[in-house]
Amino acid sequence: MSIQKPTLPKGTRDFGPIQMAKRNYILETIKSTFRLFGYQQLETPSMENLSVLTGKYGDEGDQLLFKVLNSGDFLKKVKGEDLEKGAANVLPKVAEKGLRYDLTVPFARYVVMNRNELTFPFKRFQIQPVWRADRPQRGRYREFYQCDADVVGTDSLICEAEILLMIRRVFAELKLEDYDIKINNRKILTGISEVIGEPGKEGELCVAIDKLDKIGWEKVQEELTQRGFTEDAVKKLEPIIDLSGSNDEKLAFLKGFLSESEEGLKGVAELEEVLKILAEFGEGQEHVDFDVVLARGLSYYTGAIFEVKVNNVSIGSVSGGGRYDNLTGVFGLEGVSGVGFSFGVDRIYDVLEELNLFPEDQTQSTNVMIGYFDEEGRNYGLKILNGLRSAGLSAEIYPDYAKVKKQFNYADKKQVPYVVMIGSEEIAQNKVTLKNLKTGEQEMHSLEEVIGMVKAS
Amino acid sequence: MSIQKPTLPKGTRDFGPIQMAKRNYILETIKSTFRLFGYQQLETPSMENLSVLTGKYGDEGDQLLFKVLNSGDFLKKVKGEDLEKGAANVLPKVAEKGLRYDLTVPFARYVVMNRNELTFPFKRFQIQPVWRADRPQRGRYREFYQCDADVVGTDSLICEAEILLMIRRVFAELKLEDYDIKINNRKILTGISEVIGEPGKEGELCVAIDKLDKIGWEKVQEELTQRGFTEDAVKKLEPIIDLSGSNDEKLAFLKGFLSESEEGLKGVAELEEVLKILAEFGEGQEHVDFDVVLARGLSYYTGAIFEVKVNNVSIGSVSGGGRYDNLTGVFGLEGVSGVGFSFGVDRIYDVLEELNLFPEDQTQSTNVMIGYFDEEGRNYGLKILNGLRSAGLSAEIYPDYAKVKKQFNYADKKQVPYVVMIGSEEIAQNKVTLKNLKTGEQEMHSLEEVIGMVKAS
């Protein structure tokens, strides 16, 4: 066999020890928050039947699904004439399974398949990779983690308020301070389309408005006109686009603006209730920003819509979600309301990196390395090593006889903060020399003293 | 679109909240042990290029690889005449990537690709799913987790001794007591093949001996004869098959038995050194059982071979590994010695289930649920809820107005141990009623008292 230089499939990544330590720091923070709020973990298989996945993400999504070739003789159903009909025709004959595209559809499938055993409301979180055959580019990968929390089987707005609290807790733990949780309500968007005289067109309105941040109001107007919105309608939108002030001020304005739309007023009332529940929790509205043009372009939201933006960083949108009323309808289970949101782990990683917010000790793994000069030192070191580990300290011994410089170099590269060095003097005194690699200080101590000092550091 | 009852691909599983809690209990125990010993986490992509995977697992392994269809027009390179040549001919034209089959080959690929940045010895652990297109059956899945730790770049036998210590620590934490860590050395098997007069046939010897447990000595003899081993050779094997006694007694016997084989004596010396290092650690040989016929059928081991068997359960083999001297040679990097082993998470799960060893509180997620009768109670409850969570207790409020029975039913099904109930009396006294769902006891307390009681329980 010829030896080839191995490569990674494009759009995929290895996560080495330092990246894993940083990722785990983020994920553990998120998981502990989910658990604090009573969410339970779920994992679903990486492969789903294509019948489950296809048609759930639009035509473009279907194209981006990774399909898994049937095992065995995958050609057995394919005939010569099939080839001429093209890939779309051959696909169902060679592939029955695909890789998970998101965590939402597998969750819906799980709820439907287990509806008789589950206790509702069902609060689940799920942290697993998903795969999309997107064109890879900076910050966009073909395999990436999603990190979702959803509660289904209740339409209580307490859930919306708790999502705000969870986001604030995660960000506080991660020491992220300058961010906004944008919140809106789909019913408000529906109401707006009604009162500007374009009822039923809130879908198109959302698609256009969603681009406001990127292309500006002028271009959005053009797009609305192209989509058949009247000049009058576009003009009526202006106060919405210009809306500013506190959450309460905006809500007050909308009560007037939407006074002719029952649906719109319902959206306003829901949002008011979420803020009221926040107050009942004894919590304020810090970071919560009612953004009346927030749409997220996702057509399946029916109530609240969330998006979290970190300010003053290159890619700020790190989390999003909303309420949906028909998650499981596509699998034949109607009337299951739910609300969920998702943390973008890759983006939070990039943000923390950009703002230099990863705690320094997070990438340390081993607390103490033991070095030695000869076999006697090694053997003495093995006992010390066992003592350090029994005390709960992550420790290792340099496994080979090597120059002291090489041993220290190993500790240094692995970001080990302390080296315990064993020579004949240490053995004679039944002690060890502890060296702090940051300060360079070193001194002889007993094992017990070393344990105390490392633990206290 | 017609609505179909959704199903899972065969051989795959969902892990619901209770299973996840139990799996996490096992995985956290293993991870904390790996970290205590200085191993660092690595994750590699689910998809690898088929050029990396193919040819590494034998012909059967190649068959069992899941291949991922190229995205876009996957047929573009396929011509009519290709079809006649069959699937093996078409495969390279429609699929470039496959799903990870194990964690070892991706690890080797990672080491080779990052050899200039890595610090050796490199101690890594990796816990990720792998996929095999095996025929699904009880206990065998098409997607399952592997849980590997390896150290590469050193041939120090300290690593072998630490593997024994790590296994013992994991099992002690999991309260698993009745098990054996079988250990052998490939060089001993080589030596045996030499002294029985069949040098160079240790591969075949291993394959046959590996079946000893399953088919017995008589059938193994038949197989050896079929494989061309002389009657004399088979007869000379008998004392090996019958070998018993302590590790030291067996080693003493082998020093005589293998006295004519340099390689065999080297294996004995290595094994002695591992046990000596264990003693230098201040540790005994508990659970360590030198098994001279342990082969594991894996041809790439060159030194130590490990296998862990739990006694008195239906499927006992839960962990295995060994030393290899040429992990990365297939990718062009020669001379990297390493040793590693793998915990079988699914099997450990089944063993703990069979022996009823999962701690009861492991499947609890929420510590306290808050119930109420009316809006006033709900609002009071929201403040209590915030207080409980601020104290670090996992807590939730029943989100809807519902009958008390329904609220308690929810807590019960979710295995919540405590319910805090809010009525007008509780509000008047600025207290809550805490009910212990196991004992049925209930009493009014202040929030602070409740926090103390739940934390202490």
Side-chain angles (χ1 to χ4, degrees), chain B residues 321-339:
Chain B
R323 179 170 288 278
Y324 38 80
D325 276 334
N326 204 10
L327 179 71
T328 55
V330 73
F331 297 121
L333 183 62
E334 301 285 343
V336 177
S337 185
V339 58

Side-chain angles (χ1 to χ4, degrees), chain B residues 84-116:
Chain B
E84 288 145 39
K85 294 183 195 154
N89 188 264
V90 173
L91 179 65
K93 302 187 174 187
V94 301
E96 279 165 13
K97 295 177 291 292
L99 295 178
R100 186 168 58 216
Y101 181 88
D102 70 1
L103 303 179
T104 306
V105 167
F107 174 52
R109 191 226 2 100
Y110 175 82
V111 168
V112 172
M113 283 177 69
N114 296 277
R115 61 181 180 267
N116 296 324

